[in-house]
């Protein structure tokens, strides 16, 4: 296989970006829990890194915003929990299977990909609700635990789950980097830019969007499985939370810069900290504040702060190129 | 005339609501032929290109390319088969660089990827006068350059038939000559070309063969010299737009 054909980006640039990406993440995940004496916080951070990367692949790269994309997270959590609690699977295998189940579900939803813009966003929301109603239905209690939740504390391993989540968060960030620099990634970005012209360039846009959708739902499913493992016991509402696992993630990605490699990571790091802080002191205002933030972001910095940072950097360090 | 027919439309109709933008249009393009497609604004020229390139599907009639019926075929498959086009209002991938725009078409436009990507991209950018803009974002190009980028992307897929939609519109006389020369050069690398243009003077510089559309119908098909003396053409075309 010829590297040049698969990866358009320069090999050294990719390696450099990988370094820039892995180092701070590794430090954050290693030292964070020690400094703040709160591993749960960093567990959630790792989960959000994965979700932001997952959303970035489908929303950032292809331009389609699945508002209810948290459904894949929830299904990953449930898949894992059900396989462990009711079928005695080892947790690692259960997480993998749960994520595959999410990907399978996304395949079922591929007809939605034929919709565009707001229709797609809303249809994905409807899909979210429908799946939630199935999993929380009391007549399915023997299969899903129903409204009473599901418990699989037997595999509870608070340090191992964190270590796995941290490693997989780094892997997911590297995956986005690889996608971004590949011919696959550039096709996705072209779909975002112009879904008609991209076809004329020979790209089967439905096929590539389906691939992006599959990767994204699989990654969300992994995040969900890990989150379920971390919780050990959860009610349907804990994983089927539109605000926690869809809206927040959308805000993170928009804030950092969708379609960029580093933006979503920065969005998660900055805003998750803000979110936790606000929850601590103004818990009843958090959602209002984030709602307003979402509106402001879309109005004033639709391309996220990464673009502003890059522009500022250019102005400061290479003034002759500044606009 | 030229040899074998490579692209043909038989009785092609396209409706928007109750309006027929194309009414039973029959046309054919021979191997090696360049067809000038002219007609007043709103006569259906762009619609015809959309129907042939697959962005719109015909409501009736038959489209065939190299002996294959392509009516229901998606645009990317038509692109792989060798049909490509430029847009009257250019469609660059704004958030990507000029070079990336061309790379996409090079990578995906043909079955079987090529090994000489760099060289191919440089050649195409040079031909279309975009070499200096290679690293720039497509969004930073002016309209003329964006049209050239459209052409560059189309050429990167190595089309057999190229459909060009008003490439010279809005250009001054000198620029128009440059575009005419460019298209005459492009002719050599394709098997057939359809050039849509509003301005008759421009068409004369690139081909002898013309078809004239009016209100979705082909009202003339033949040599340019005969078109300008055809009373029907004079009436609809010049009657609405003044001198050629
Ligand atoms: N997508 C569309 N929806 C509705 N009407 C359209 C559409 N595209 C073109 N038309 C109409 O079809 C007719 C032919 O348009 P067009 O093919 O763009 O003409 P031309 O390129 O010759 O100027 C016009 O009346 C135009 O308004
Ligand atoms: Mg037109």
């Amino acid at each position: 296989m010829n590297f040049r054909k698969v990866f358009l980006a320069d090999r050294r640039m990719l390696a450099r970006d990988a370094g820039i990406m892995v180092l701070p993440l590794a430090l954050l995940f290693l030292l964070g829990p020690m400094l703040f004496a709160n591993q749960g916080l960093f567990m959630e951070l790792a989960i959000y890194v994965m979700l932001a990367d997952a959303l970035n692949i489908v929303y950032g790269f292809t331009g389609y915003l699945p508002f209810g994309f948290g459904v894949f997270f929830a299904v990953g959590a449930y898949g894992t929990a059900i396989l462990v609690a009711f079928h005695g699977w080892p947790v690692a295998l259960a997480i993998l299977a749960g994520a595959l189940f999410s990907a399978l579900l996304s395949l079922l939803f591929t007809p939605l990909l034929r919709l565009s813009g707001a229709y797609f966003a809303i249809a994905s929301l409807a899909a979210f609700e429908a799946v939630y109603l199935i999993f929380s239905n009391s007549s399915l209690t023997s299969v899903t635990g129903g409204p009473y939740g599901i418990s699989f504390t037997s595999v509870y391993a608070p340090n191992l789950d964190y270590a796995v989540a941290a490693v997989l968060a780094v892997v997911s960030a590297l995956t986005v980097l690889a996608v971004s620099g590949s011919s696959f990634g550039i096709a996705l970005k072209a779909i975002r830019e112009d879904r008609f012209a991209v076809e004329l360039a020979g790209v089967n846009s439905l096929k590539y969007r389906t691939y992006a959708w599959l990767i994204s739902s699989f990654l969300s499913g992994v995040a969900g499985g890990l989150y379920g493992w971390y919780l050990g016991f959860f009610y349907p509402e804990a994983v089927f939370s539109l605000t926690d696992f869809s809206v927040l993630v959308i805000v993170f990605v928009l804030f950092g810069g969708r379609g960029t490699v580093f933006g979503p990571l920065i969005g998660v790091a900055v805003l998750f900290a803000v979110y936790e802080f606000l929850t601590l002191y103004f818990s009843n205002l958090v959602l209002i504040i984030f709602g307003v933030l979402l509106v402001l972001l879309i109005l004033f910095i639709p391309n996220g702060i990464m673009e502003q940072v890059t522009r500022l950097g250019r102005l400061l360090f290479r003034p002759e190129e500044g606009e | 005339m030229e040899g074998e027919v490579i692209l043909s439309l038989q009785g092609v109709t396209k409706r928007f609501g109750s309006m027929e933008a194309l009414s039973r249009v029959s046309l054919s393009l021979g191997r090696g032929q360049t067809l000038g497609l002219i007609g007043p604004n709103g006569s259906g020229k762009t619609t015809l290109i959309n129907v042939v390139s697959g962005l719109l599907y015909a409501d009736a009639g038959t489209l065939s390319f190299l002996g294959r019926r392509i009516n229901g075929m998606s645009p990317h498959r038509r692109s792989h088969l060798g049909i490509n086009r430029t847009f009257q209002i250019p469609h660059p991938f704004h958030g990507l660089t000029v070079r990336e725009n061309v790379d996409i078409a090079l990578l995906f436009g043909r079955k079987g990827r090529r090994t000489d990507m760099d060289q191919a991209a440089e050649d195409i950018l040079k031909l279309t006068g975009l070499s200096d803009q290679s690293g720039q974002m497509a969004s930073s190009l002016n309209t003329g350059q964006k049209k050239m980028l459209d052409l560059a992307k189309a050429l990167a897929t190595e089309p057999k038939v190229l459909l060009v939609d008003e490439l010279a519109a809005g250009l001054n006389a000198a620029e128009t000559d440059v575009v005419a020369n460019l298209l005459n050069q492009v002719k050599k690398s394709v098997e057939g070309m359809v050039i849509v243009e509003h301005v008759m003077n421009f068409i004369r510089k690139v081909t002898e063969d013309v078809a004239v559309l009016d209100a979705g119908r082909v009202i003339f098909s033949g040599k340019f010299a005969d078109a300008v003396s055809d009373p029907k053409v004079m009436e609809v075309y010049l009657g609405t737009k003044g001198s050629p």
Side-chain angles (χ1 to χ4, degrees), chain A residues 6-83:
Chain A
V6 179
F7 290 103
L8 295 173
D10 186 272
R11 194 189 306 223
R12 254 169 309 167
M13 290 280 276
L14 275 176
R16 189 203 64 178
D17 285 353
I20 295 178
M21 176 174 278
V22 172
L23 269 176
L25 279 177
L27 283 176
L28 193 65
F29 285 126
L30 274 173
L31 302 180
M34 296 182 207
L35 291 174
F36 290 88
N38 184 348
Q39 191 167 290
L41 207 64
F42 289 87
M43 178 75 193
E44 287 178 29
L45 187 73
I47 300 287
Y48 275 121
V49 164
M50 281 181 252
L51 282 175
D53 283 335
L55 181 68
N56 195 27
I57 288 171
V58 55
Y59 176 45
F61 288 175
T62 71
Y64 285 77
L65 176 60
F67 224 87
F69 98 111
V71 69
F72 302 119
F73 174 82
V75 166
Y78 260 103
T80 303
I82 291 169
L83 288 172

Side-chain angles (χ1 to χ4, degrees), chain A residues 196-203, chain B residues 6-7 29 48-55 65 70 74-87 91 93 101-102 104-106 108-110 149-165 183 186 190-196:
Chain A
F196 298 113
V198 76
E199 283 269 329
L200 295 163
V203 176
Chain B
I6 52 175
L7 174 73
L29 183 72
L48 186 139
I49 291 188
N50 284 337
V51 166
V52 173
S53 61
L55 293 197
F65 179 63
I70 56 166
S74 59
H76 69 266
R77 287 196 54 212
R78 295 189 203 195
S79 158
H80 290 159
L81 274 188
I83 299 175
N84 226 296
R85 55 90 58 88
T86 70
F87 289 90
H91 280 235
F93 305 124
N101 269 263
V102 174
I104 291 166
L106 282 171
F108 294 95
R110 315 187 314 173
L149 182 54
D150 251 18
L151 180 63
K153 284 194 298 179
L155 290 176
T157 66
E158 295 193 348
K160 294 193 171 83
V161 166
L162 180 64
L163 308 141
V164 180
D165 199 352
L183 289 179
V186 167
V190 298
E191 291 175 27
M193 189 145 65
V194 175
I195 299 179
V196 163

